[in-house]
């Protein structure tokens, strides 16, 4: 960070072999003169030097700080320090806000880039940018007395709380209707603006002078701003002081699951991200409860769980990330979006996936999204889908299943007390497809008009006379002739073996499996004649007849 801010390497005045001694003595590098005279920079560096990891800036805090430095360069000033030729100190620019407490000003300048790029300033009913927000709000008004009032808090926590309170805004979650105000035309008539006015009045009840609505706070004609909005939407809802939800088709908790709000793609992250929510319904915006925060009400959370099948703990305090990916995808299985691309874009915040926005690419957006998710997620469950294509699902509904045995296995992420895990946790996306290790069992096929029954063939095991797996019944009107096709059942969630090259199955247990086939013609190149996943209309499970172990095989889906 010293190098970033000054262009000078740390410890420039000390011989390199003496630096370890300085570190052992818990000394910090001396600051170059250019930094010593920048209060904001030196304040940030003091945090970087902290010996307590929790007090040091996180990666996103550091990135926000650097972005601000790059964006402002030599900013608008009210005072410029003269150049000191003797000491070699260049002119130093100061913000108006630099007159405030340095730690507070630094935290404010970091936090302002976590709020949306445009907000509505409710007192004047006008749309303002971040730059104007900096001039409207005054971090210099936060005093040491304000910080000391937060008794029992660390100084940094007290500063963060004061700045968050200064920047607090309300955010709206709703279904679009007729005559919605837009960024280019913030019209003050029609049903859309009346809805916005109701939102303003509810926001003011929570002490918010700032508000955000997706209809009018995003400049959709700017590709860069639209890209930022889609990438940052989850964070904006998370950072909001309160998320106000308007349900147009509901008047009681018993009717929640019938409201269209629960069937749209974008509203999934709008439900999960906020820590504080308030639900209203109807043209008069009648509150469904009298709670200051509906997520604190057990009855409300249970009703939301019933309407969405999302666990109550996730509804209260959801954590984004690629973990539990199959379960999270199943929450989106019944939701729809107006534009094809939004199927993928609306999920990026939930899974903490970063991808460029390119409206017009159609279903390629979901293909790119899944490639990123599979690369980041190391849970075998993400590879289990029905329908779609052999190498990837085509929409979240591919992860839907009502099979109880499959659901029990797919939602189980536990590792046994002796450390045994399941499946391959080192799969990856390659040019040939998703590379994954499966427990492969050769199979024969018995076809009828309406279904096909696959029977595992005995192998070189102790119990070679008995098939290791039960019958696998697949509903399908047609499969290639058995004379030209070789079949196999690939077990996904096999158990770990002491030998890393092997896996094992246990008698009486059910397993998730894929159906795979390849040409049976002899002499074919193994690269050309690799196993291919058969697309089925449901997620397949099979039961193990007896304990069984063998080497696992690499397959490209």
């Amino acid at each position: 960070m010293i190098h970033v801010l000054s262009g000078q390497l740390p410890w420039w005045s000390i011989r390199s072999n003496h630096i370890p001694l300085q570190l052992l003595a818990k000394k910090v590098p001396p600051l170059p003169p250019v930094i010593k005279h920048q209060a904001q920079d030196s304040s940030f560096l003091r945090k970087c030097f902290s010996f307590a990891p929790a007090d040091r800036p996180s990666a996103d805090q550091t990135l926000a700080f650097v972005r601000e430095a790059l964006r402002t360069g030599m900013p608008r000033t009210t005072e410029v320090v003269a150049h000191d030729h003797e000491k070699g100190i260049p002119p130093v620019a100061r913000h108006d806000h630099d007159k405030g407490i340095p730690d507070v000003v630094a935290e404010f300048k970091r936090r302002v880039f976590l709020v949306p790029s445009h907000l509505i300033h409710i007192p004047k009913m006008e749309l303002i940018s971040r730059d104007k927000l900096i001039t409207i709000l005054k971090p210099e008004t936060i005093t040491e007395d304000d910080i000391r009032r937060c008794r029992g808090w660390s100084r940094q926590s007290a500063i963060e709380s004061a700045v968050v309170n200064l920047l607090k805004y309300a955010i709206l979650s709703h279904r679009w209707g007729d005559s919605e105000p837009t960024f280019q035309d913030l019209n003050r008539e029609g049903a859309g603006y009346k809805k916005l006015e109701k939102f303003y009045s509810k926001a003011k009840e929570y002490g918010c002078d700032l508000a955000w609505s997706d209809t009018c706070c995003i400049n959709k004609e700017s590709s860069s701003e639209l890209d930022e909005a889609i990438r940052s939407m989850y964070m904006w809802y998370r950072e909001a002081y309160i998320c106000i939800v308007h349900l147009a088709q509901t008047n009681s908790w018993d009717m929640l699951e019938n409201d269209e709000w629960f069937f749209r793609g974008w509203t999934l992250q709008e439900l999960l991200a906020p820590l504080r929510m308030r639900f209203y319904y109807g043209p008069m915006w009648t509150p469904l409860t009298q709670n200051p925060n509906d997520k604190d009400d057990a009855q409300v959370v249970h009703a939301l769980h019933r309407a969405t099948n999302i666990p109550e703990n996730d509804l209260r305090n959801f954590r984004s990330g690629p973990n539990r990916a199959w379960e999270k995808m199943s929450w989106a299985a019944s939701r729809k979006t107006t534009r094809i691309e939004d199927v993928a874009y609306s999920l990026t915040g939930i899974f903490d996936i970063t991808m460029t926005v390119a409206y017009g690419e159609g279903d390629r957006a979901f293909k790119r999204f899944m490639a990123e998710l599979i690369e980041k997620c190391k849970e075998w469950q993400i590879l289990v889908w029905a329908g779609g294509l052999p190498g990837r699902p085509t929409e979240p509904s591919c992860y839907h299943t009502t099979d109880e045995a499959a659901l029990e296995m797919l939602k189980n992420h536990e590792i046994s007390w002796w450390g045994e895990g399941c499946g391959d946790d080192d799969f990856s996306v390659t040019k040939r497809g998703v590379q994954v290790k499966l427990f492969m069992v050769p199979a024969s096929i018995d076809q009828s008009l309406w279904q096909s029954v696959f029977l595992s063939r005995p192998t070189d095991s102790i119990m070679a006379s008995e098939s290791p797996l039960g019958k696998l019944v697949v509903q399908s009107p047609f499969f290639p002739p058995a004379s030209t096709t070789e079949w196999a059942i690939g077990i996904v969630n096999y158990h770990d073996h002491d030998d890393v090259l092997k896996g094992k199955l246990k008698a009486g247990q059910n397993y998730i499996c894929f159906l795979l086939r390849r040409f049976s013609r002899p002499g074919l190149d193994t690269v050309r004649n690799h196993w291919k996943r058969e697309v089925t209309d449901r997620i397949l499970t099979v039961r193990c007849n007896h304990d069984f172990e063998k080497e696992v095989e690499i397959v490209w889906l």
Side-chain angles (χ1 to χ4, degrees):
M1 188 51 61
I2 288 176
H3 198 184
V4 168
L5 295 173
S6 69
Q8 194 162 29
L9 290 174
W11 305 104
W12 79 95
S13 61
I14 298 176
R15 292 177 61 180
S16 60
N17 59 332
H18 291 172
I19 294 175
L21 298 176
Q22 300 293 323
L23 296 174
L24 287 172
K26 293 189 175 181
K27 293 183 178 180
V28 299
L31 296 184
V34 66
I35 294 180
K36 282 185 179 180
H37 288 77
Q38 293 269 17
Q40 179 185 349
D41 292 351
S42 59
S43 173
F44 187 81
L45 276 170
R46 280 198 296 272
K47 297 179 185 177
C48 295
F49 294 151
S50 174
F51 289 107
D55 292 339
R56 293 198 290 268
S58 63
D60 64 324
Q61 290 172 333
T62 304
L63 187 59
F65 180 84
V66 173
R67 280 176 175 165
E68 165 67 358
L70 291 173
R71 189 186 70 82
T72 57
M74 295 295 285
R76 295 184 299 273
T77 64
T78 56
E79 179 184 357
V80 177
V81 177
H83 194 290
D84 190 327
H85 293 281
E86 293 182 2
K87 296 182 180 179
I89 301 170
V92 177
R94 293 182 180 175
H95 290 275
D96 290 341
H97 297 322
D98 286 348
K99 296 175 182 177
I101 301 170
D103 288 354
V104 173
V105 173
E107 179 64 17
F108 175 82
K109 290 180 178 179
R110 183 187 74 84
R111 283 271 176 181
V112 79
F113 283 90
L114 298 181
V115 305
S117 53
H118 286 90
L119 287 163
I120 297 167
H121 189 220
I122 297 176
K124 293 187 177 181
M125 295 290 195
E126 66 175 353
L127 201 60
I128 60 174
S129 66
R130 285 195 192 109
D131 290 337
K132 193 168 183 179
L133 183 66
I134 293 173
T135 65
I136 291 173
L137 303 178
K138 299 184 181 299
E140 67 269 22
T141 60
I142 298 175
T143 66
E144 288 289 354
D145 288 340
D146 296 326
I147 296 170
R148 281 194 290 270
R149 287 191 190 100
C150 300
R151 295 177 180 174
W153 292 24
S154 69
R155 177 180 173 80
Q156 182 59 29
S157 297
I159 289 173
E160 289 175 4
S161 176
V163 171
V164 166
N165 189 61
L166 190 66
L167 286 167
K168 72 178 183 180
Y169 61 93
I171 200 163
L172 176 63
S173 178
H174 66 122
R175 285 293 301 125
W176 284 35
D178 297 329
S179 65
E180 296 284 359
T182 66
F183 183 87
Q184 282 73 26
D185 182 17
L186 193 60
N187 64 75
R188 298 178 181 271
E189 57 184 30
Y193 189 76
K194 289 179 180 178
K195 178 169 60 175
L196 207 56
E197 285 186 314
K198 290 288 188 182
F199 167 53
Y200 295 160
S201 67
K202 301 304 178 186
K204 286 191 287 187
E205 290 177 11
Y206 284 88
C208 296
D209 285 338
L210 301 170
W212 187 90
S213 171
D214 56 353
T215 59
C216 57
C217 292
I218 303 174
N219 183 6
K220 299 178 182 66
E221 293 182 359
S222 168
S223 58
S224 61
E225 187 164 326
L226 182 61
D227 185 78
E228 181 195 9
I230 289 175
R231 286 188 288 106
S232 304
M233 194 85 70
Y234 178 90
M235 181 186 68
W236 291 348
Y237 274 88
R238 187 72 170 189
E239 294 290 327
Y241 180 76
I242 184 75
C243 176
I244 293 172
V245 182
H246 182 248
L247 303 176
Q249 301 163 321
T250 297
N251 57 24
S252 73
W253 291 115
D254 296 331
M255 296 178 62
L256 283 184
E257 51 262 50
N258 298 322
D259 197 287
E260 190 181 7
W261 189 86
F262 288 94
F263 293 94
R264 305 304 297 178
W266 283 105
T267 55
L268 177 59
Q269 74 169 4
E270 293 166 18
L271 170 66
L272 293 171
L275 295 175
R276 294 164 60 91
M277 298 187 79
R278 190 77 193 277
F279 288 87
Y280 297 86
Y281 71 89
M284 301 305 295
W285 282 59
T286 308
L288 276 168
T289 72
Q290 298 303 316
N291 303 318
N293 180 11
D294 284 331
K295 283 197 172 184
D296 287 339
D297 188 320
Q299 184 177 356
V300 172
V301 173
H302 182 71
L304 293 172
H305 163 69
R306 190 181 65 246
T308 61
N309 288 321
I310 298 173
E312 294 184 13
N313 286 339
D314 289 302
L315 289 168
R316 289 191 182 93
N317 189 10
F318 176 76
R319 300 286 183 179
S320 65
N323 61 311
R324 296 168 56 210
W326 188 93
E327 186 178 4
K328 293 174 184 176
M329 289 294 285
S330 70
W331 302 341
S334 61
R335 293 177 177 259
K336 304 297 180 184
T337 60
T338 302
R339 302 190 67 163
I340 295 175
E341 297 87 350
D342 283 337
V343 175
Y345 300 158
S346 64
L347 294 172
T348 54
I350 293 172
F351 292 95
D352 194 22
I353 297 292
T354 301
M355 58 184 287
T356 54
V357 176
Y359 279 107
E361 65 177 328
D363 56 10
R364 185 174 179 273
F366 194 75
K367 178 181 179 181
R368 291 195 298 120
F369 169 78
M370 286 307 305
E372 291 286 340
L373 180 56
I374 290 173
E375 196 66 49
K376 292 183 72 174
C377 175
K378 291 306 174 186
E379 300 167 345
W380 59 266
Q381 288 93 334
I382 192 59
L383 304 179
V384 180
W385 63 82
L389 297 172
R392 64 177 178 89
T394 51
E395 57 184 354
S397 62
C398 293
Y399 288 95
H400 176 71
T401 183
T402 56
D403 187 289
E404 291 297 329
L407 282 171
E408 184 179 351
M409 288 180 278
L410 288 165
K411 290 186 177 182
N412 181 20
H413 295 267
E414 295 181 359
I415 295 178
S416 60
W417 66 270
W418 56 86
E420 182 183 83
C422 293
D424 181 12
D425 62 357
D426 195 30
F427 52 85
S428 60
V429 179
T430 70
K431 291 182 179 180
R432 292 180 62 181
V434 179
Q435 178 181 298
V436 59
K437 294 191 284 288
L438 299 177
F439 191 104
M440 301 286 285
V441 181
S444 58
I445 183 172
D446 180 14
Q447 290 180 292
S448 66
L449 183 61
W450 302 110
Q451 67 182 22
S452 298
V453 178
F454 291 86
L455 299 171
S456 60
R457 295 200 300 268
T459 59
D460 297 332
S461 64
I462 298 175
M463 305 179 69
S465 60
E466 182 184 355
S467 297
L469 303 177
K471 293 181 180 179
L472 177 62
V473 180
V474 180
Q475 304 294 330
S476 177
F478 173 77
F479 277 125
S483 59
T484 61
T485 308
E486 184 180 354
W487 294 96
I489 298 171
I491 305 296
V492 187
N493 56 328
Y494 56 87
H495 299 285
D496 288 347
H497 193 281
D498 293 338
D499 185 342
V500 294
L501 300 178
K502 291 184 176 181
K504 59 184 177 183
L505 307 181
K506 298 179 180 180
Q509 291 194 13
N510 292 315
Y511 294 92
I512 300 283
C513 65
F514 298 151
L515 184 59
L516 300 112
R517 64 182 173 92
R518 66 183 178 187
F519 293 116
S520 62
R521 288 182 296 171
L524 272 181
D525 182 1
T526 55
V527 174
R528 291 188 175 186
N529 196 28
H530 63 272
W531 291 105
K532 293 184 179 180
R533 179 178 182 168
E534 189 71 25
V535 176
T536 57
D537 61 1
R538 65 180 180 88
I539 292 172
L540 304 178
T541 63
V542 68
R543 191 172 182 81
C544 179
N545 290 327
H546 61 80
D547 289 355
F548 184 47
E549 61 181 57
K550 66 182 292 290
E551 288 190 359
V552 294
E553 296 182 36
I554 294 177
V555 174
W556 288 268
L557 303 180

